[in-house]
């Protein structure tokens, strides 16, 4: 199987509220829009907020998390706090060496904001570097 591209698709309970969160609060740039949906650039990935096909029996919550790398996690958290975004966890260094802070979107989807320190193996392309 050849994977040519990928994206994360969210089917929020409130499309407009989630659109405003990702577009205005997080400041993600729009890759494209279509009737009932918006696709955002999210680093090397795409994030699609779809206002269709969410069934009434859709499970609550999201079992995973969105992992968004930022240049400086402290600055990112300060900016989000100024925009009124609730901070779930302030930045801290994890055992695997990354600096991580946590927020969530209007549906409670966890968002991990990650800073990769200059000495971390991810900066040097070492195989098996975790996080």
């Amino acid at each position: 199987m050849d994977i040519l591209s990928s994206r994360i698709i969210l089917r929020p309970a409130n499309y407009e509220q989630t659109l405003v969160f990702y577009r205005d609060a997080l400041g993600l740039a729009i890759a494209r829009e279509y009737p009932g949906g918006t696709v955002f650039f999210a680093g090397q990935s795409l994030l699609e907020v779809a206002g269709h096909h969410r069934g009434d029996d859709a499970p609550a919550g999201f079992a995973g998390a969105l992992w968004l790398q930022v240049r400086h996690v402290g600055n990112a958290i300060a900016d989000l706090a100024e925009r009124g975004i609730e901070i779930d966890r302030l930045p801290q260094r994890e055992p695997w060496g990354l600096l991580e802070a946590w927020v969530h979107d209007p549906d409670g989807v966890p968002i991990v904001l990650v800073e990769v320190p200059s000495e971390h193996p991810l900066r040097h392309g070492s195989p098996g570097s975790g996080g």
Side-chain angles (χ1 to χ4, degrees):
M1 172 171 49
D2 290 333
I3 306 296
L4 302 179
S5 68
S6 66
R7 72 178 60 174
I8 297 163
I9 300 176
L10 300 177
R11 298 193 195 293
N14 183 319
Y15 172 75
E16 288 299 325
Q17 182 182 27
T18 301
L19 176 67
V20 167
F21 177 83
Y22 284 101
R23 183 191 61 213
D24 302 338
L26 286 188
L28 298 184
I30 295 173
R32 73 182 190 86
E33 295 175 285
Y34 63 92
T38 303
V39 179
F40 294 97
F41 290 109
Q44 295 178 358
S45 185
L46 295 172
L47 175 67
E48 181 173 346
V49 176
H52 51 83
H53 296 303
R54 179 186 173 95
D56 292 336
D57 59 346
F62 182 80
L66 300 181
W67 192 94
L68 301 176
Q69 183 180 348
V70 297
R71 292 191 190 281
H72 189 277
V73 71
N75 291 348
I77 287 298
D79 184 46
L80 292 177
E82 285 179 16
R83 295 178 190 199
I85 302 303
E86 180 182 340
I87 308 303
D88 296 330
R89 197 184 84 178
L90 293 172
Q92 57 185 289
R93 187 175 296 270
E94 297 295 343
W96 44 89
L98 299 175
L99 297 169
E100 295 185 3
W102 290 70
V103 298
H104 62 275
D105 81 359
D107 278 326
V109 173
I111 300 170
V112 186
L113 299 173
V114 178
E115 178 182 336
V116 180
S118 61
E119 70 279 2
H120 195 277
L122 282 175
R123 292 272 186 134
H124 306 287
S126 300
S129 50

